[in-house]
Amino acid sequence: MSNSRAARLRRLVSSLRFRISAAFAALLTAALIIINYYPVQLMRRQVISSKETEMTAAAMTLAAALESFSELSSENVYDAVQLLEVMRERRVLVTDNGGMVIYDSSKTSDVVGRLAVFPEIIGALSGKDIFRCRYSEVAFESCAAAPVVHSGKTAGAVYFYDYDTEQAALLRQTRTDLLQLSAGLSGVCLFGIAAFMFSFSRRLGLLLRGVKRVGQGEYSYKISMQGEDELSAIGDEFNALTEQIQKNEEMRRQFVSDASHELKTPLASIHLLSDSILQTPNMRREDVREFLTGINEEIERLTRISESLLNLTRLDAQPSARPVPCDVGAVVRRCAELLGGSAAKYGVAIEVHSSGQHLILADPDGLYQVVFNLMENAVKYNRPQGRVEVEVLDDEAVTVLRVRDTGIGIPQGQLPHIFGRFYRVDKTRSRATGGTGLGLSIVAEWVKSLGGRIDVRSEYGKGTEFSVRFVTYRKGGAAQ
Amino acid sequence: MKRTARLSCLVLTLLLAGCGTSAVPAAQEGQSEAQVYFLGPTPVGSAVRPFVTESRSITADSMTEILEELIACMYYPRDVGNRPLLPPQVKLRSVTCAGSVAVVDFSSEYQRLSPLEKSLAAAGTAMTLLAQEGINYVRITAAGAFQPPMGEKYYSEDRILMNSQAIAANAFDVVLYFISENGEGISPVQRTIKTEEEYPSPYALLMELLNPPEGDGLIAPLMKEEDVNFCQMEQDVCHIDLSSLQSGQAGQLQIHAMVNTVAGDNSVETVVVTVGGKPPSSVGVEGCDGEMTFSADYIQ
């Protein structure tokens, strides 16, 4: 029981909501302490400072005025006090050099004739200017004392006493006002924090719920979050991510389905042919040979499909090998030689237009695969007596490979799909020519992997042109 | 390291022992406790030394011997930082007790002290001796001659002001009553007033009535200081004699404002108001003759 409570408490304390709230509360407390402490302290110091300036000046002024008298008496001190108007609401005492009070401004309880040995008066009689101020809740109680010097000797002391309740009341009022302000501010801030945390928790909950649902495989789940803040941005990114995951998942399913279908067709042919051999007693040797040849062709097709799939999987899974400078023209010429026999069989002429070197940074196997597949398609899907033109040229910093044929062409509506896996424009002809439906997919993946771009233009019934652009490699510097 | 630890232990032990001994020991039988005055150390943030006292056990029997012993103690402060008020060259010649009066005669070196030194020595000696029960007055002489600052006068507790408390002002929260703007009642106003007395006198309260609060439209029941001829307390009764008073209801409100203000004080039970020594009815103000107490009838 206590363990579960402790765990709940631990969860609460480690939650983001608690931490943010605690941080807010700590900041608020600190701000309130500062608001309530410093202004009051500052005011108090200012009052004390102004009292010191004012009272010390008054005491010194009176002391200076009394210095002209050879002997201090209540009369001449009274005259000086009246003349200088230094009394105001303060009490003024003047003593002789022994501390005996000879003048007191109080009308109600004067202390003339008494011995005043206050520390401040002793200090003044010792030649020092003294100021002291004490603040209580009720008043600022201050006193200032100054020596009266006559002919180089201390003749007495002047003592000012001030009891200021007005400034203290003002300070008290300020403190009360600040406390009220703080209370109001705290209320507003706490309400604000609560509202923010409520909204934050709700939105965080939405995100968390979304992550859980997607984790359970519900890729179509979308987070609906209002606003334009970071959480909304995370929500948008999350939605984009799940959309991509959903697409990939669909593509994966489609691919598995297509691959199964493609593998099933040759397997079905093999099954049919082998079954025919088995079911037909006394089959002629020539027929058996013909059937076995068919089986062999289907096996070769299966092998091609498998190799192509493996190629694609490798391209998906691994980055291409470290690129090296490759001459596109040389690769084109080699492929033309390799496809020479096949082209002759279809009655297609291959023309290569390339002069000099056209270097690009690429994986040689990838470049070969791109050139070979494009040229092989151009040959296979051509007309008898047709033509394949292969051109390599430099266009500023780009090397362009163009493979143009005079074949059957591709309908405009199908152009966007031709790089899809197992997509065939003419299914019958493709299978008849031994196509796997993966050639152009492999080309597109390699071009992407080599940092190039592939475009296609086609006119149905007239021919197709593929253009591949690579960044040209310059010696002595990086690819540009 | 070990030496430091041992030294620390030793210092701690000494400090603890010191704490024990510095505490005032209880006076044993035949002993009495007395406070002896010295100049204390300068507090932080201050430039002057205040008076401080140290406790001493006195063993003498007669008053004269006790006083002599106390003055002898004044030369030797025990606490570090305290300074004696009597310079060592000033010797005690004699102490004489006559009733509640003690006469202290110092050696002639006393005469050569500065005026301030004389005052400090005299104040310290007098306050030390005046703390003894039965001693109310002290006179200081040197070689038989009177010495300033008091001369032939006696030192007594009320003639020596040891600190500013003796002249300190006090603040009090009081309730004053002023005549309302429409002239049909009186309104209370709370105010903090400061006074040099221990408690604000009825006269001081009346003087506060000269200043009505600004902006509230309230009217002062007294116009000037001279409106009050006298204000005296007799037992619990406060007698106020005014020089003038308005007639009719205006005069009634003036009197009720004054009576409520003065009678709010706990020490004043009733108030008697006169005008030039005659009852208020003599100037046309009815219902206010004789003793009056606090009344809520006119308060708005």
Side-chain angles (χ1 to χ4, degrees):
Chain A
M1 188 70 181
S2 61
N3 276 348
S4 71
R5 196 175 296 161
R8 265 208 307 274
L9 188 68
R10 215 168 25 246
R11 264 205 308 278
L12 175 74
V13 170
S14 57
S15 73
L16 206 55
R17 276 176 295 183
F18 179 83
R19 287 180 187 179
I20 294 174
S21 302
F24 267 129
L27 278 175
L28 181 64
T29 310
L32 290 180
I33 288 171
I34 290 168
I35 286 172
N36 279 280
Y37 180 76
Y38 280 103
V40 174
Q41 289 299 313
L42 197 67
M43 266 184 81
R44 205 177 77 158
R45 276 203 291 271
Q46 274 181 342
V47 171
I48 292 173
S49 171
S50 72
K51 291 264 172 218
E52 180 171 12
T53 309
E54 203 182 331
M55 289 184 64
T56 307
M60 288 170 74
T61 305
L62 182 59
L66 296 177
E67 282 173 9
S68 56
F69 299 112
S70 57
E71 193 177 342
L72 295 176
S73 67
S74 59
E75 289 77 22
N76 55 30
V77 173
Y78 176 82
D79 291 343
V81 169
Q82 295 304 315
L83 187 71
L84 294 171
E85 294 180 341
V86 287
M87 201 170 77
R88 299 191 187 152
E89 287 192 352
R90 308 176 194 119
R91 187 165 180 174
V92 182
L93 299 186
V94 177
T95 72
D96 66 8
N97 56 5
M100 185 64 79
V101 180
I102 53 177
Y103 172 81
D104 182 0
S105 63
S106 173
K107 290 174 187 168
T108 53
S109 56
D110 80 74
V111 291
V112 172
R114 299 189 198 180
L115 181 62
V117 279
F118 309 162
E120 296 82 14
I121 289 181
I122 295 172
L125 291 174
S126 307
K128 296 172 189 160
D129 293 323
I130 307 286
F131 173 79
R132 177 179 63 80
C133 184
R134 192 170 63 86
Y135 167 71
S136 66
E137 287 297 306
V138 181
F140 282 94
E141 191 180 28
S142 342
C143 61
V148 180
V149 181
H150 180 75
S151 304
K153 286 183 180 174
T154 305
V158 168
Y159 179 85
F160 275 68
Y161 174 83
D162 181 63
Y163 192 75
D164 191 342
T165 51
E166 286 84 4
Q167 295 278 11
L170 194 68
L171 198 63
R172 270 201 314 276
Q173 186 59 45
T174 306
R175 189 181 292 165
T176 310
D177 289 348
L178 284 174
L179 273 173
Q180 284 171 351
L181 179 75
S182 303
L185 204 65
S186 303
V188 170
C189 286
L190 288 176
F191 178 77
I193 290 172
F196 171 76
M197 286 320 298
F198 176 75
S199 160
F200 182 73
S201 304
R202 196 178 56 79
R203 304 178 80 206
L204 211 58
L206 277 176
L207 274 179
L208 205 62
R209 206 158 38 246
V211 171
K212 272 186 188 165
R213 298 277 281 272
V214 171
Q216 288 162 359
E218 199 179 330
Y219 298 120
S220 60
Y221 187 84
K222 291 277 177 291
I223 293 172
S224 164
M225 204 173 282
Q226 290 173 342
E228 293 180 357
D229 59 0
E230 289 85 347
L231 285 180
S232 302
I234 292 174
D236 291 344
E237 287 297 321
F238 178 83
N239 287 342
L241 188 70
T242 51
E243 203 169 314
Q244 189 58 46
I245 291 173
Q246 195 180 3
K247 265 187 198 165
N248 288 348
E249 182 63 14
E250 278 167 13
M251 277 171 66
R252 188 186 63 79
R253 281 189 192 142
Q254 186 64 42
F255 178 73
V256 170
S257 164
D258 289 349
S260 306
H261 180 74
E262 288 300 324
L263 291 171
K264 204 173 138 190
T265 311
L267 283 172
S269 300
I270 289 167
H271 181 256
L272 188 70
L273 290 169
S274 60
D275 208 34
S276 299
I277 295 168
L278 290 170
Q279 298 296 327
T280 312
N282 304 322
M283 186 181 260
R284 287 191 303 138
R285 191 176 176 82
E286 292 76 24
D287 292 340
V288 172
R289 189 176 177 80
E290 189 185 336
F291 278 34
L292 286 174
T293 306
I295 289 170
N296 200 33
E297 281 172 1
E298 292 303 325
I299 288 170
E300 277 177 9
R301 200 164 139 209
L302 270 175
T303 307
R304 277 199 305 278
I305 291 172
S306 304
E307 277 173 359
S308 296
L309 282 173
L310 272 173
N311 252 333
L312 279 171
T313 312
R314 275 195 208 108
L315 271 170
D316 283 343
Q318 295 171 355
S320 57
R322 185 182 170 80
V324 292
C326 302
D327 181 8
V328 182
V331 176
V332 167
R333 282 189 288 277
R334 189 149 59 93
C335 289
E337 276 177 31
L338 282 170
L339 290 166
S342 172
K345 191 174 132 193
Y346 290 110
V348 174
I350 298 174
E351 296 173 19
V352 175
H353 304 285
S354 169
S355 59
Q357 278 194 322
H358 300 280
L359 292 177
I360 65 165
L361 268 182
D363 177 347
D365 290 344
L367 181 62
Y368 172 78
Q369 194 78 63
V370 169
V371 175
F372 185 85
N373 283 10
L374 287 177
M375 286 179 68
E376 189 188 30
N377 277 359
V379 169
K380 281 202 288 191
Y381 300 107
N382 217 319
R383 299 168 193 282
Q385 311 310 314
R387 206 170 64 252
V388 173
E389 286 178 38
V390 185
E391 189 180 9
V392 184
L393 53 95
D394 283 340
D395 182 6
E396 292 185 353
V398 175
T399 298
V400 183
L401 163 70
R402 285 206 184 98
V403 180
R404 197 179 302 123
D405 66 53
T406 54
I408 54 175
I410 304 166
Q412 287 299 313
Q414 296 194 32
L415 280 176
H417 310 294
I418 57 168
F419 296 109
R421 293 174 186 187
F422 298 112
Y423 189 85
R424 288 184 176 91
V425 177
D426 183 346
K427 290 183 175 57
T428 322
R429 184 162 178 175
S430 172
R431 287 214 173 84
T433 55
T436 60
L438 293 168
L440 283 177
S441 297
I442 291 169
V443 168
E445 289 294 329
W446 268 117
V447 169
K448 191 176 152 192
S449 165
L450 297 174
R453 205 185 88 189
I454 185 165
D455 296 303
V456 58
R457 268 191 322 173
S458 183
E459 200 173 338
Y460 191 60
K462 285 192 175 172
T464 305
E465 180 186 289
F466 286 91
S467 302
V468 185
R469 290 162 190 278
F470 297 108
V471 176
T472 305
Y473 171 73
R474 303 270 187 224
K475 257 185 188 170
Q480 292 170 14
Chain B
M1 193 69 182
K2 275 184 180 175
R3 281 182 64 185
T4 314
R6 276 184 201 153
L7 199 62
S8 304
C9 285
L10 185 66
V11 169
L12 193 65
T13 312
L14 286 173
L15 278 174
L16 288 171
C19 289
T21 52
S22 68
V24 180
Q28 292 171 0
E29 202 175 336
Q31 289 185 346
S32 60
E33 284 296 313
Q35 299 298 316
V36 179
Y37 278 77
F38 295 97
L39 273 182
T42 311
V44 178
S46 174
V48 289
R49 291 169 171 268
F51 280 96
V52 293
T53 58
E54 286 183 14
S55 189
R56 292 285 194 277
S57 295
I58 305 298
T59 51
D61 295 329
S62 70
M63 180 56 83
T64 307
E65 285 173 351
I66 290 171
L67 300 184
E68 282 174 352
E69 198 174 334
L70 282 172
I71 291 170
C73 289
M74 286 183 69
Y75 291 98
Y76 306 105
R78 281 181 186 161
D79 292 349
V80 179
N82 286 354
R83 268 177 41 187
L85 288 159
L86 290 173
Q89 71 274 21
V90 175
K91 308 292 182 198
L92 176 66
R93 289 181 68 203
S94 66
V95 177
T96 318
C97 276
S100 63
V101 177
V103 179
V104 181
D105 188 35
F106 287 113
S107 63
S108 58
E109 282 80 9
Y110 186 96
Q111 294 168 354
R112 283 191 283 279
L113 298 178
S114 72
L116 179 59
E117 286 172 326
K118 279 180 188 165
S119 293
L120 292 176
T125 307
M127 290 306 289
T128 302
L129 302 190
L130 287 167
Q132 287 301 304
E133 201 175 326
I135 301 296
N136 297 326
Y137 302 98
V138 174
R139 178 182 271 169
I140 309 284
T141 58
F146 298 123
Q147 291 300 311
M150 282 291 182
E152 59 187 305
K153 289 180 184 167
Y154 291 98
Y155 291 91
S156 60
E157 279 187 352
D158 62 333
R159 281 186 171 167
I160 302 171
L161 310 175
M162 301 294 282
N163 54 51
S164 60
Q165 281 304 107
I167 61 154
N170 294 303
F172 298 94
D173 288 332
V174 295
V175 181
L176 308 171
Y177 289 84
F178 293 92
I179 299 166
S180 55
E181 198 173 11
N182 56 18
E184 292 177 356
I186 55 175
S187 296
V189 172
Q190 186 159 355
R191 185 181 289 174
T192 302
I193 63 167
K194 54 185 177 183
T195 171
E196 290 159 359
E197 298 154 317
E198 280 186 25
Y199 203 76
S201 65
Y203 181 78
L205 293 173
L206 289 180
M207 290 302 102
E208 284 295 323
L209 290 177
L210 293 170
N211 305 310
E214 287 176 12
D216 290 352
L218 297 175
I219 301 161
L222 292 170
M223 292 300 121
K224 52 188 187 300
E225 203 176 328
E226 292 75 29
D227 285 351
V228 182
N229 287 331
F230 65 80
C231 177
Q232 292 171 343
M233 286 293 295
E234 279 180 26
Q235 303 288 336
D236 298 334
V237 183
C238 177
H239 293 271
I240 301 170
D241 188 57
L242 304 172
S243 58
S244 63
L245 190 69
Q246 294 180 61
S247 59
Q249 196 192 355
Q252 274 183 338
L253 290 177
Q254 276 183 284
I255 290 173
H256 282 293
M258 285 186 270
V259 170
N260 276 10
T261 299
V262 173
D265 183 343
N266 289 334
S267 63
V268 179
E269 282 192 4
T270 53
V271 181
V272 176
V273 180
T274 52
V275 183
K278 293 176 183 172
S281 56
S282 65
V283 292
V285 179
E286 300 300 328
C288 297
D289 292 353
E291 292 189 355
M292 297 178 72
T293 55
F294 183 91
S295 167
D297 293 346
Y298 293 87
I299 298 174
Q300 286 192 327

